[in-house]
Amino acid sequence: MNNNPELITPPLIQVKSLSKQYQMGNDIVHALRAVSFAVTSGQFIALMGPSGSGKSTLMHQLGCLDTPTNGRYLLNGRDVGQLSRRARATVRNQNLGFVFQSFNLLPRLSTLENVMLPLLYSKGTPSKNSASEKEMAQAALEHVGLAERVQHKPTELSGGQRQRVAIARALVTDPALILADEPTGNLDSHTGNEILALLTTLNQNGRTIILVTHDAQVAKRAGTILHMQDGEIVRQSHGEASS
């Protein structure tokens, strides 16, 4: 008889009573109010709410871009909520991939060079001559259907193609978590649906994704929707990816 206890994989993310307060003049703004939830590897989560609901503040916490006033944020079992700025930067580079509404591509660089950036800066000494980084960036662009656009500049691409480049850049370091902040906000509905379909495919292939949106039609593409209001998660519902 095997007496060893069953091994249980801890959640990828554990948020425990996370709060964030800002001082604005004589007033204290409670941007997050004791938020708690967990995310397991392979989930597709949408944080949905109107402007001022706290979803962007929570995304900044999850992305190690800010520290909480109170509470804990554990990523892969490590309490990252109180790390130094430099340590948080290391965690971001090694564990997180970001997709932004405004793409955040460097206009003077080619598509390939934009995707290579996270790999180059992880070494601390950027160099454009590394064959391995180029191969990894090329593979990431192939993954999002842009193998023929490696030498194009962002200005030579459509909005949807630029967002695909941003997704390839997020994927290139093989992160534990992809954070997508309003990824369809600057796109027309048809192109936005294509980007959501790509994110869904990535999730079906095992990627963990947290998406921030104010749009219920976008949020429903996720598996779990966390509805935010006034700095709190007020309810949870299921999206299409849960079926």
Side-chain angles (χ1 to χ4, degrees), residues 9-14 39-41 73-80 91 94-96 174-177 208:
T9 303
L12 174 64
I13 284 175
Q14 290 176 287
V39 178
T40 59
S41 293
Y73 167 35
L74 283 75
L75 177 62
N76 268 330
R78 182 184 183 188
D79 190 344
V80 298
V91 170
Q94 295 178 349
N95 296 276
L96 306 175
D174 192 25
L177 174 66
T208 308

Side-chain angles (χ1 to χ4, degrees), residues 147-170:
E148 305 302 318
R149 295 284 191 269
V150 293
Q151 296 305 324
H152 285 64
K153 299 292 178 61
T155 54
E156 299 172 316
L157 303 175
S158 68
Q161 289 171 332
R162 276 178 270 175
Q163 194 60 291
R164 286 176 180 268
V165 174
I167 292 172
R169 182 184 57 194

